[in-house]
Amino acid sequence: MKKKIAFQGRCGAYSESAAYHLFGTDIEVIPVDTFEEIYEQIANGSVDGGVVPIENSTAGSIYENYDLLFKWRLPIVAEVKLQISHALCVLPGTQIENLKKIISHPQGLAQCSLFFEKHPHIEASAVYDTAGSAEAVALAKDSTLGAIASSYAANVYGLDVLAEGIENLPGIHFTRFYALQKEARPFEKTENLKTTLLFTLANSGKSGALYNALGCFAKRNLNLTRIESRPHPDKPWEYIFHMSFEGNPEETLASEALKELGEYADFIYLLGTFKGGEIKKLEYEKIGV
């Protein structure tokens, strides 16, 4: 039986491509409307895993998923850095001079702002989802309407691609995705491991509290790859820190650092240890495109 893997959006979404990279191509993808539905379905066993975007190289962090990682505390088992390439998707036979409006996710529109500067006659209009915008164009059957989505989404919904790579920074636009499961996945004790954890400070108002916490890793030459603070949902003006470092928590230096961190933190939770994500391009051939 194929594993069921949930992602937010519609078929043809960038998250769907990430799912194939993270869980393999022999899976059944389950599109859902919200990020929290992914966590809910993993937790209740409706699906075997899920894919969530956590960071974009131009737009920054996806804060909702940082907050949901704390709320649900599902294990992170893998990551991938997916190269994003936006395409102009239209009904077959449509020419660019026919277009009056282009729809997409607000970030997709912002990332293609130079395209709209070159074509001032075209209105940019925000919708909830990139792949959903391609679906909307197909359903509308309106040759004055276009969508910014992936070439894969255009194929899924029977649209033509008038232009590819229309983002402002073609070739250097990436989104990092996490793979989540209900149970942690065993990891091989090889190089290029990354560990992600949550912690809160015991004396957050004390001078040097965060400095001391991070120093546990610096003094042992453990490289921090990411730290993000989010408001604590139950404690005003206190923060939850999401931190990633290169290393295996079972190794001596990392184990010592985490033990010392316990002197400065009143809460530590390991979200997962996994191989550092590789850069991948959109998956096409293996999913029948």
Side-chain angles (χ1 to χ4, degrees):
M1 183 180 295
K2 291 184 177 182
K3 287 185 176 181
K4 294 182 178 180
I5 306 299
F7 70 94
Q8 187 276 328
R10 293 289 180 265
C11 290
Y14 295 108
S15 291
E16 181 183 0
S17 181
Y20 293 107
H21 283 299
L22 290 165
F23 288 96
T25 55
D26 190 27
I27 60 174
E28 179 185 354
V29 289
I30 309 295
V32 299
D33 291 332
T34 68
F35 288 131
E36 185 145 31
E37 285 180 75
I38 298 172
Y39 298 80
E40 290 173 343
Q41 292 198 20
I42 295 172
N44 67 28
S46 299
V47 298
D48 300 291
V51 172
V52 297
I54 196 68
E55 180 184 12
N56 180 270
S57 60
T58 59
S61 299
I62 292 88
Y63 294 124
E64 183 178 357
N65 278 315
Y66 277 100
D67 296 338
L68 289 169
L69 283 170
F70 173 74
K71 177 179 178 179
W72 290 90
R73 297 174 206 175
L74 293 173
I76 303 168
V77 297
E79 71 172 10
V80 68
K81 299 168 185 172
L82 188 66
Q83 183 172 344
I84 304 299
S85 181
H86 291 315
L88 176 54
C89 310
V90 298
L91 290 174
T94 301
Q95 301 299 315
I96 197 163
E97 54 267 23
N98 302 134
L99 294 176
K100 295 181 180 179
K101 180 190 292 186
I102 291 176
I103 57 176
S104 191
H105 187 278
Q107 287 190 7
L109 296 174
Q111 291 157 5
C112 299
S113 61
L114 295 180
F115 172 86
F116 289 101
E117 288 181 13
K118 293 178 182 177
H119 303 280
H121 70 284
I122 302 176
E123 175 191 352
S125 181
V127 295
Y128 66 94
D129 181 66
T130 51
S133 68
E135 180 184 36
V137 169
L139 292 173
K141 300 186 184 302
D142 181 355
S143 61
T144 69
L145 184 66
I148 290 175
S150 68
S151 297
Y152 170 44
N155 184 282
V156 168
Y157 298 109
L159 302 178
D160 283 352
V161 174
L162 281 186
E164 292 190 70
I166 62 171
E167 60 271 18
N168 296 347
L169 301 170
I172 56 172
H173 181 198
F174 304 90
T175 296
R176 186 159 58 90
F177 293 87
Y178 282 154
L180 307 177
Q181 291 182 175
K182 192 172 184 177
E183 302 293 337
R185 181 189 297 175
F187 57 87
E188 296 182 7
K189 296 178 181 180
T190 59
E191 295 182 357
N192 195 32
L193 286 177
K194 178 188 289 188
T195 297
T196 295
L197 65 144
L198 305 168
F199 71 90
T200 57
L201 293 171
N203 298 296
S204 58
K206 185 178 179 180
S207 177
L210 182 57
Y211 174 86
N212 290 331
L214 301 183
C216 301
F217 299 86
K219 69 176 65 173
R220 294 174 175 88
N221 294 316
L222 293 170
N223 184 40
L224 301 185
T225 61
R226 182 76 175 166
I227 184 165
E228 185 80 47
S229 65
R230 295 295 298 150
H232 198 298
D234 304 317
K235 299 178 181 180
W237 311 117
E238 293 192 22
Y239 298 89
I240 301 154
F241 293 94
H242 295 248
M243 189 179 76
S244 297
F245 69 90
E246 292 177 350
N248 172 1
E250 297 176 3
E251 293 176 346
T252 301
L253 292 177
S255 177
E256 290 176 352
L258 290 169
K259 183 178 180 180
E260 185 181 348
L261 178 62
E263 299 175 12
Y264 306 109
D266 57 10
F267 167 82
I268 301 175
Y269 189 88
L270 294 179
L271 283 171
T273 298
F274 45 91
K275 184 179 179 181
E278 298 178 351
I279 293 174
K280 299 288 186 179
K281 293 187 177 181
L282 286 171
E283 190 71 76
Y284 296 109
E285 296 179 2
K286 293 182 180 179
I287 49 179
V289 176

